[in-house]
Amino acid sequence: MVENKNNNHKIPKDHPRYQSLKYRHQIIEGMKCLVVTEAGLIAHGRGECFDYILGEKTSETAYNATRAAIAALLLAENPIISVNGNVTALIPKKLAELSNLLKIPLEINLFYGKKGRIEAITEMLESSGALDILGKEQSKMVEINELSSNRRKVDPKGIQKSDIVMVPLEDGDRTEALKKLGKTIITVDLNPISRTSLNADITIVDNIIRTIPLMIEIYKELKNFDKKDLEDILSSFNNKENIGKTLDLIIDYIKKEKIKLLNEL
Ligand code: ATP
């Protein structure tokens, strides 16, 4: 049972949309403790919509992109995982586990820099076990000229010196700016045609709540692979082709739903 603190009723586990409602409430609770912003709620809703038409499961294309992402992160010299409020509120423990296992720092990078938010996110990540968190001290940040939003402030020990940046649930502007700086971009985005998805080097079209645990599993499989094997995984992955196949999956899913509907007539 998940308690819905908004109107005091509980979501029974056998509710057909239990998982979706559970994460919706996590986002709402995240907003109450400053981790998530109002705009974050809207972004979550956009994600849910795409998840619905992807059948709310990890597709083969998402699996292949996740495998390529782990190969890229294992080959990287200075990888970094950029985190925002939604990612933190949705999957803090697994995010901390991933960061600790792969020894990749988490850098807090926010579009809405409301007072107290960085501290709230830091606290949630730390209490979930994250050991290496960057982006905490605003006075130590440097600015990247390619961006005008609050997100231009980056940690010199993190995003600034990184070769690969994982930017889950990201807005298109920053992805483009980071690409201009020569960074390799991995994203997790349920919308396969967002600007971020189209501009990234590796686009995982899946729900972050499934991607992070899957990354941990794949890491355990690939961690002892030699460099050549990891490079082979990467070179056999084509991001644009993979996004194209994901769009086909959405088309197929909608066609099947249409057939089901018409059969009921
Ligand atoms: P862009 O600027 O890249 O075209 P956008 O304006 O939609 O995209 P945002 O709303 O800032 O950018 O980004 C949020 C993105 O994250 C959306 O594409 C949304 O579909 C996706 N998203 C939201 N929740 C999740 C989730 N749980 N897992 C994966 N992706 C998600």
Side-chain angles (χ1 to χ4, degrees):
M1 277 279 192
V2 170
E3 195 177 343
N4 173 355
K5 291 180 184 151
N6 285 329
N7 49 13
N8 272 340
H9 69 257
K10 294 189 173 187
I11 308 162
K13 274 200 164 160
D14 60 355
H15 188 291
R17 306 223 37 82
Y18 175 80
Q19 283 289 328
S20 170
L21 292 174
K22 179 181 133 184
Y23 287 106
R24 199 175 268 191
H25 289 296
Q26 253 173 253
I27 283 281
I28 293 169
E29 291 308 310
M31 194 184 80
K32 290 186 194 158
C33 65
L34 274 185
V35 168
V36 172
T37 59
E38 289 88 341
L41 301 189
I42 297 168
H44 183 75
R46 180 177 288 175
E48 279 186 337
C49 174
F50 280 100
D51 208 10
Y52 222 112
I53 54 172
L54 281 158
E56 293 177 306
K57 58 182 189 310
T58 300
S59 62
E60 196 184 333
T61 56
Y63 179 86
N64 291 339
T66 310
R67 210 157 183 270
I70 291 292
L73 290 171
L74 286 170
L75 288 166
E77 277 178 24
N78 289 307
I80 184 94
I81 301 173
S82 176
V83 295
N84 61 19
N86 281 36
V87 177
T88 304
L90 287 172
I91 187 106
K93 288 208 172 80
K94 288 282 171 187
L95 186 64
E97 188 181 336
L98 179 76
S99 162
N100 297 346
L101 262 179
L102 274 75
K103 300 198 170 36
I104 300 178
L106 301 173
E107 178 166 337
I108 301 169
N109 185 276
L110 308 174
F111 192 86
Y112 297 99
K114 202 169 176 181
K115 199 169 177 289
R117 254 195 104 203
I118 291 180
E119 292 75 7
I121 293 175
T122 304
E123 212 220 288
M124 192 173 272
L125 291 173
E126 278 177 354
S127 61
S128 302
L131 300 172
D132 196 356
I133 306 170
L134 301 176
K136 291 187 283 189
E137 288 169 78
Q138 286 300 286
S139 59
K140 295 197 177 147
M141 299 294 111
V142 292
E143 297 194 354
I144 50 174
N145 296 328
E146 281 73 7
L147 259 182
S148 51
S149 79
N150 193 51
R151 309 195 93 170
R152 70 188 178 280
K153 293 180 193 155
V154 296
D155 198 308
K157 289 188 275 172
I159 290 173
Q160 194 194 31
K161 71 163 197 184
S162 65
D163 49 351
I164 296 195
V165 195
M166 177 163 156
V167 284
L169 284 58
E170 181 60 71
D171 73 284
D173 286 0
R174 195 162 76 111
T175 306
E176 280 170 26
L178 293 171
K179 281 291 296 176
K180 274 191 203 146
L181 290 171
K183 317 275 184 201
T184 295
I185 305 293
I186 297 169
T187 193
V188 184
D189 192 330
L190 278 159
N191 177 0
I193 51 169
S194 72
R195 288 178 305 154
T196 298
S197 286
L198 298 175
N199 278 311
D201 298 280
I202 300 177
T203 304
I204 303 169
V205 181
D206 203 359
N207 198 320
I208 191 79
I209 61 164
R210 295 188 293 269
T211 302
I212 302 290
L214 180 61
M215 286 178 85
I216 293 172
E217 287 315 305
I218 296 178
Y219 164 74
K220 288 177 184 163
E221 180 208 339
L222 301 190
K223 68 177 179 191
N224 295 322
F225 275 37
D226 57 34
K227 194 166 173 247
K228 168 84 179 55
D229 291 334
L230 294 173
E231 282 167 354
D232 286 348
I233 293 174
L234 256 190
S235 61
S236 62
F237 177 78
N238 181 314
N239 202 43
K240 293 229 169 356
E241 237 174 64
N242 205 55
I243 294 175
K245 286 183 193 163
T246 309
L247 291 173
D248 287 338
L249 291 177
I250 293 179
I251 295 166
D252 290 347
Y253 184 80
I254 290 177
K255 275 188 186 158
K256 272 189 209 138
E257 288 300 306
K258 183 180 166 193
I259 291 167
K260 266 203 275 175
L261 175 83
L262 295 181
N263 282 342
E264 282 167 15
L265 283 180

